[in-house]
Each structure stands twice: as C-alpha cells, then as structure tokens.
Amino acid sequence: MANTNSWWPDVSDLPSAQKAIRYGFWAAVFVASVTSIIALLAIYFHKPILGIDGGGLVDAILFAAIAFGIDRKSRAAAIGGLILYLTERLYMLATGSATSTTGIMTVILTLCFVHGVRGSFAYRKLNSQQPVVAPVTPGE
C-alpha cells in the first residue's frame, strides 16, 4: 500500500511511482507556463520582469520539452529538469533577482522535481520486475 504523504510520496509500486512522476511533470509545466508569460510581458514592456527578459522563452521551451519527457517517464528528462531548475534558481540568487516568495516556491518546485526523478527511477525498476505474461490464444 502506497503512502499518501504528498511531501515525500512512497514509490514502492507502479501507481505510486506514476503519481510521483506527475509531480515532476506538473512542476515543469508550471515553470514553463510562468516563464513564458513573464518573458512575453518582458518583450511587450521592453524591460526585464523579475530578472526574466525575452530570452526566457528559450527556458520555457526547454521546460515544456522536459515536461513532455517526464510525462513519457524519462529518467533523463526528470534529472535534466531538476538540474536546470536548480541551476536557474542559483543564478537568480547570485544575481539578486530572487524575491522572498521565490524561496517558498523554490522549495516546493524542487521537491516536485525530486519526486519526478524518484518516480521515474522507481517506475523503470518496478516495470522491469513485472512478470511477462504470454497471451493465451483460444484452442491451444
């Protein structure tokens, strides 16, 4: 039976691993959506907003591709999403463009990306352990 703790979900069976993967997927969708909106506003107003300029559209496209990969249960996409997200947050801290609210969101989204990584690795492991059942044809 899977643990229903959303802060650190259990990934001991396929359904719970898939649920953990969804955390990573939705985190990537959220980051792609918010980044694209802010980047488009920055283009419209001709100035960076929250440290994001028009180049943020590249990040939005990357996170959209990562979300697609995580949805396909790709371990590489899950790891790439976590690394890219943490790298960007560290850059924001170094440049001083992080705000007090980004700290809370950073913790929540980092956890979601970590769950995506955990879920994708658990899914591969658990899926490879499933017994292969040969189809039964009538008359045999």
Side-chain angles (χ1 to χ4, degrees):
M1 183 81 176
N3 180 0
T4 58
N5 181 359
S6 62
W7 290 106
W8 197 257
D10 185 22
V11 291
S12 61
D13 57 22
L14 282 174
S16 62
Q18 289 174 319
K19 185 176 180 182
I21 290 169
R22 299 306 291 172
Y23 281 103
F25 167 77
W26 285 113
V29 167
F30 178 80
V31 172
S33 301
V34 170
T35 304
S36 63
I37 290 168
I38 294 172
L40 290 171
L41 288 172
I43 291 169
Y44 180 77
F45 290 114
H46 302 290
K47 64 179 184 177
I49 298 173
L50 299 173
I52 299 173
D53 59 8
L57 288 176
V58 174
D59 285 344
I61 291 169
L62 286 173
F63 276 106
I66 286 168
F68 180 79
I70 292 173
D71 191 46
R72 299 289 180 255
K73 300 167 184 61
S74 166
R75 293 173 290 185
I79 292 169
L82 177 62
I83 291 171
L84 180 61
Y85 181 74
L86 288 176
T87 302
E88 289 186 355
R89 294 306 112 195
L90 290 173
Y91 176 77
M92 285 181 74
L93 281 173
T95 60
S97 59
T99 63
S100 61
T101 57
T102 58
I104 296 165
M105 287 302 297
T106 298
V107 171
I108 292 170
L109 289 171
T110 299
L111 270 175
C112 289
F113 279 113
V114 168
H115 297 331
V117 171
R118 292 176 60 236
S120 64
F121 274 87
Y123 182 86
R124 291 289 179 169
K125 180 180 177 184
L126 293 166
N127 200 34
S128 68
Q129 294 173 350
Q130 293 289 330
V132 178
V133 178
V136 177
T137 57
E140 284 187 11

